[in-house]
Each structure stands twice: as structure tokens, then as C-alpha cells.
Amino acid sequence: MEDRYSSLLSSSEDGAPKKRFSEVQKERREQAQRTVLIHCPNKISEKKFLKYLSQHGSINNHFFYESFGLYAVVEFSQKESVASLQKVTRTPSLGTEAAIPFRSRYFNLKLKTPLNQTSEQSSIQCRNQSSPSSKKLFELLCCAESVDDQLNTLLREFQLTEENTKLRYLTCSLIEDVAAAYFPDCTVRPFGSSVNSFGKLGCDLDMFLDLDEIEKFGTHKASGNFLMEFQVKNVPSERIATQKILSVIGECLEHFGPGCVGVQKILNARCPLVRFSHQASGFQCDLTANNRIALKSSELLYIYGALDSRVRALVFSIRCWARAHSLTSSIPGAWITNFSLTVMVIFFLQRRSPPILPTLDYLKTLADAEDKCLIEGHNCTFVRDFNRIKPSGNAETLELLLKEFFEYFGNFAFNKNSINIRQGREQNKPESSPLHIQNPFETSLNISKNVSQSQLQKFIDLARESAWILHQEDKDRLSPSNNQPWGLAALLLPSVANSMSLAKKKKKTSSERIKNLLESIKSSSTENSTATNG
Ligand code: CTP
Ligand code: MG
């Protein structure tokens, strides 16, 4: 693919100007609308396939991948080509399958004469949509040149590829087609890690049903005698309206959504959602409604990720470290989430001297009139053009930052303080949750309210242990490594403290001991480094 490396975020290291979040979203959305998804037979001639499709218009781009079978994503240059292809598409006419009047952009290709020449089929190259195995990761990390190189390698291997991103926007666009059968002017937008630049291959696809376009109808023509009879009847709250909307969309996806399986309506959650698996793309999807603040926080993270090349590398490694030690899980529960970890890294980078990242309040002071944003009474204003933000003068290495991150949070006064990226400093905890991280926009909310004391303790113990491992390595640097996992690779191995978790008391003492040892090493190593620097 010619644009494989010209990365969607333009967060490329080539110094090219970075695109605004809204521009990326708009472009990607428009691109997805010109794109179709095709389930192909396993044996297929790429050349004939493309030749056939080109009858409907020129193809900008295409790729194949494997999910439950072979799939092709084909992007036309014109939207009209999709309609042209839909026109010649047959609907199933078997007795067991009832067709509904809905034209989707997800097709099945059935060849009348199956291919048998192996030579033709061998040309198909599939794009991998999953992250590397831990074995492969260890190999890559162990042959890296430095810890910095390790963190950058991990980022390169785990970040969403161009194709995976396209598939995410396409999936939202396909779901939007279904939802539009009910709400013709709705939009389904991806948010969360699929778009905030911190997504790892295989992460879930968060999407939200945006009905704001419909609301805008009202504001244009404020005068006039006609009042439209609106959709939602007699509901006492916005929340109930959201639940009703999601409920019908959930039903619709379950019964008629092409490729949607395992639809669950989780309407009583704080943020009601419909969870399903989109089989063709392989994504686990969470569809919410009325969630503009979450989109805004995705934009904020996107900006933080684009401001300094160290941010994403550090976040990916911390997320990976947390996953390796079961601090995070794909099942909801009392564990820390990736979102919380990302905010913790941002906070830590705001606390460096000089700071690597600016505070949200500072980003607010840089905002102009067009950046003003008020959602449900919450001020979500910040500068959106990050070319207006001065780069940091801090030149610390990733290796140092990784070590300091573990030390910082290994010794953080979680019992007293709250993490707050709006002000970039600790605040007194307003309530007694073990871990308090202020939601950047809904400031009365704690994004890690779910975290239990024991999960927090596990995080602290592992952070201390990891800081200890990195300090030990510093000391042993001159001795031969005899092929042991080192640096980041060593941190991803099963932990000692963890394996002792049954004997809780013992663990506590070991963690305290590590803390004390760290303190002593730290004071001596600061002396050393001052000596060498001098
Ligand atoms: N979110 C939030 N408050 C929370 C949890 C989530 O505002 N307590 C918002 C954040 O914008 C987050 C998004 O919802 O990015 C999606 O949540 P989630 O899927 O849990 O996190 P991701 O950032 O997408 O990370 P992951 O890769 O683990 O899915
Ligand atoms: Mg997510």
C-alpha cells in the first residue's frame, strides 16, 4: 500500500505538520464511506478480483486480511462506485434466508467456478491485524540496542497499522448504515484508543452514536409556526432516552446487523452501551450514545500523544507492562484501566522538570474563540491546533523516564493525593477511593473509581520491583549480559513479588525492602552520576 507509512495521524517522525484531530476524523470518515468489505473465497485471483471491481470505478486502495476467512477492504475513489456495485449485488434467495430491504456494504463473493490454479492464489498477501506474540516481542526487545530502542520497538510493533485503522473506521461506518435505518441523520464515530493514538493492535473498538446533527435542525430555524413532533416520548431524563435509543439499535444489530454477533445490551451501566462482536473485522465493539465528552477526551489524549515523541512510546510500554503482570484485564472489574494508566503517564510527564507535557489548564489558556467547547455544562475548551504549543525543552531519555515513572508511582501518596492533569499537580483526594484520578472534563468524577485497594497495592509493588530491576541493571551494566532478558524485556517477565502474592505479609515486607534498597541505591547513584557528569 503506497500510503502504509505515511501514517494516518501524520504523527510521523519525519517532522511533517501534524493534522488536527477533527481533520483526521473527517478524512477517515469520508474514506470509509467510499469503502466496502468483501468476504472472499479462500482461493481467489487478486488480479481478476480487482479487474472486476474496477468496472464500478477506480480503486484507490485495497488490502486483504484474515479473520474468520479471507476478507478484502476495497476503497474506491468515488462514493458512487459503491452504489454501482450494490446495484449488481444479488440478495440471498435461499428458502432459509429472508432478505430485508437494506443495502449494506458488506458483501460475500461466491465464485461460480472456483479457482484451482495454486499459482494465482499465492499472490494474496494478508495484512496482519494482531499484535506480535510475546515470544516474538522478547526476541525483538532482546536484540534492541538500548532501552530507548526497546520502547520505540514496542511502540512500532503494537501501534495500530494504517490498515487496522481503516478497518476500524469502516466498521463504524457499516454500523452507521444500520443505525441510520432508524435515525437517518445519525453518525457513528469511533473514540477511545482506536483514535487517540494510544491504541494497540487488538484493542476494542469504542464507538458512539451521535445524534447531534439532528439537534442542529432545530437551531437553524428558530422561527416558524411548526414544531416538529420529536422521537422520544415522555421520558423523564436524558439517560432514559439514551437507554431507549440504544435498546432499539441493539435489537436492530442483533437481528439485522450484518456480521454482528453476541449482542449484549448493558443499559444500566453508568454509561449505557451495546456490546457486540463484529465478526468480519474481528473487533469487539462497545457502542454508546450521547458521549461527546469521551470524544473530547480522546482528542485531548491525541494532542498529548502528538506533542512529544516520547509520550506514546512510554504509554505503550507501561500498558504492555501492566498487561504482562495482569494489572489490566479485558474483563471489567477492580483493575486499573488503560485509560487510567495513560492519564497517569501524562501526569508524570507534566511533573518532570522542565515539564515534558503542559497542563490542561495551560492548553485552555492557548485556546481561541473557535476552540471554545461546552458539553453538558462542562468546559471542555483547549487549543486544538497543537502547532501553537511550544515543544518541551526537556531532553530526558526514555530509559530514565521509564525508571522514574516506576519510582514516582512506587512512592506516590495515593492515600492522600489525587492525580489531576488539569492542574498538573497533586490535589487532596476529595473522596476515599483507593486510587483517585480526576476526570479531566467532568471534574467531579474519578476515572479509576473501580480500582480496589489490593489492585492498587499490586500496582505499587510491581512499580517498585520494576524500578529496582532497572536500578540493578544500571549497576551491572559493565558485566556481560549472558543472553538474559534485559531492560524492558526483563520488566515483562513474571514478577517475584507477584509469585509471592499468596503470602501477603511477606509480599509487603519484600516491597518495603525494595523501596528501602531503592532509596539507598538512588542516593548513591545520584552521587555517581553527578561525579561522572562533573
Ligand atoms: N472513558 C472515560 N472515563 C472512564 C472510562 C473511559 O472518560 N472512566 C472514556 C475515555 O475517553 C476512554 C474511552 O472512554 O478513552 C474508552 O474507554 P476504554 O475502552 O475503557 O479505554 P481506551 O482508552 O479505549 O483503552 P483500551 O485500549 O483499553 O480500550
Ligand atoms: Mg477502548
Side-chain angles (χ1 to χ4, degrees), residues 205-242:
L205 173 55
D206 304 293
M207 41 175 99
F208 89 99
L209 181 71
D210 192 353
L211 300 174
D212 258 21
E213 290 300 315
I214 298 169
E215 275 170 27
K216 275 181 206 146
F217 294 169
T219 50
H220 284 311
K221 298 207 168 65
S223 60
N225 296 327
F226 290 96
L227 203 62
M228 205 176 283
E229 190 65 26
F230 242 79
Q231 301 98 326
V232 184
K233 300 177 183 172
N234 296 327
V235 286
S237 72
E238 180 113 19
R239 177 177 165 84
I240 293 176
T242 302

Side-chain angles (χ1 to χ4, degrees), residues 301-312:
L301 294 198
Y302 172 85
I303 289 180
Y304 277 128
L307 279 181
D308 189 293
S309 68
R310 289 166 290 187
V311 181
R312 292 174 66 233

Side-chain angles (χ1 to χ4, degrees), residues 190-456:
F191 70 101
S193 59
S194 298
V195 301
N196 67 16
S197 81
F198 295 103
K200 168 180 155 222
L201 283 171
C203 68
D204 69 353
L205 173 55
D206 304 293
M207 41 175 99
F208 89 99
L209 181 71
D210 192 353
L211 300 174
D212 258 21
E213 290 300 315
I214 298 169
E215 275 170 27
K216 275 181 206 146
F217 294 169
T219 50
H220 284 311
K221 298 207 168 65
S223 60
N225 296 327
F226 290 96
L227 203 62
M228 205 176 283
E229 190 65 26
F230 242 79
Q231 301 98 326
V232 184
K233 300 177 183 172
N234 296 327
V235 286
S237 72
E238 180 113 19
R239 177 177 165 84
I240 293 176
T242 302
Q243 287 171 329
K244 288 195 189 288
I245 289 166
L246 283 176
S247 176
V248 295
I249 298 289
E251 288 289 315
C252 193
L253 289 176
E254 184 174 358
H255 299 300
F256 312 115
C260 302
V261 297
V263 179
Q264 277 174 284
K265 293 193 263 178
I266 309 171
L267 302 178
N268 285 324
R270 187 187 73 81
C271 188
L273 72 135
V274 175
R275 178 165 288 169
F276 60 94
S277 150
H278 192 260
Q279 223 170 15
S281 60
F283 295 132
Q284 176 71 32
C285 304
D286 277 352
L287 175 70
T288 52
N290 235 331
N291 210 356
R292 292 197 78 84
I293 295 191
L295 186 66
K296 211 57 196 169
S297 70
S298 302
E299 178 168 14
L300 180 66
L301 294 198
Y302 172 85
I303 289 180
Y304 277 128
L307 279 181
D308 189 293
S309 68
R310 289 166 290 187
V311 181
R312 292 174 66 233
L314 196 60
V315 168
F316 270 75
S317 292
I318 298 294
R319 282 182 167 206
C320 208
W321 166 84
R323 190 73 192 90
H325 295 291
S326 309
L327 282 169
T328 51
S329 163
S330 54
I331 311 158
W335 3 95
I336 297 185
T337 61
N338 281 325
F339 180 54
S340 295
L341 285 171
T342 308
V343 175
M344 286 167 91
V345 175
I346 292 171
F347 182 74
F348 163 74
L349 295 174
Q350 291 174 334
R351 303 296 296 156
R352 302 305 295 164
S353 167
I356 293 180
L357 288 177
T359 66
L360 177 52
D361 274 342
Y362 177 70
L363 295 181
K364 191 172 154 195
T365 62
L366 294 182
D368 60 23
E370 287 192 357
D371 294 325
K372 275 229 164 70
C373 175
L374 197 73
I375 305 171
E376 292 156 22
H378 300 284
N379 192 333
C380 304
T381 305
F382 55 83
V383 61
R384 291 170 304 164
D385 173 7
F386 32 76
N387 298 307
R388 299 218 309 261
I389 309 165
K390 235 183 35 223
S392 159
N394 179 313
E396 287 169 323
T397 62
L398 281 169
E399 177 176 7
L400 180 83
L401 291 170
L402 184 68
K403 195 161 55 185
E404 298 271 318
F405 173 89
F406 290 129
E407 250 176 59
Y408 184 78
F409 285 113
N411 294 302
F412 191 85
F414 288 107
N415 55 341
K416 281 209 316 267
N417 290 335
S418 159
I419 290 162
N420 181 318
I421 60 165
R422 183 164 274 286
Q423 293 168 11
R425 57 188 151 83
E426 300 92 344
Q427 299 272 294
N428 283 333
K429 268 208 299 202
E431 37 121 339
S432 63
S433 311
L435 176 60
H436 196 281
I437 304 175
Q438 192 193 58
N439 183 310
F441 300 117
E442 291 170 273
T443 51
S444 65
L445 297 182
N446 171 11
I447 65 167
S448 51
K449 206 180 168 67
N450 62 312
V451 178
S452 66
Q453 183 59 45
S454 66
Q455 284 300 317
L456 176 65

Side-chain angles (χ1 to χ4, degrees), residues 38-77:
I38 305 176
H39 188 186
C40 303
N42 284 335
K43 287 186 177 177
I44 179 182
S45 151
E46 186 168 1
K47 224 168 115 191
K48 285 184 188 159
F49 176 72
L50 293 177
K51 195 171 160 211
Y52 175 77
L53 290 172
S54 325
Q55 296 173 352
H56 299 282
S58 70
I59 295 171
N60 262 7
N61 206 291
H62 79 282
F63 66 91
F64 290 91
Y65 68 93
E66 267 173 82
S67 178
F68 296 92
L70 180 68
Y71 289 85
V73 170
V74 180
E75 179 199 326
F76 287 103
S77 350

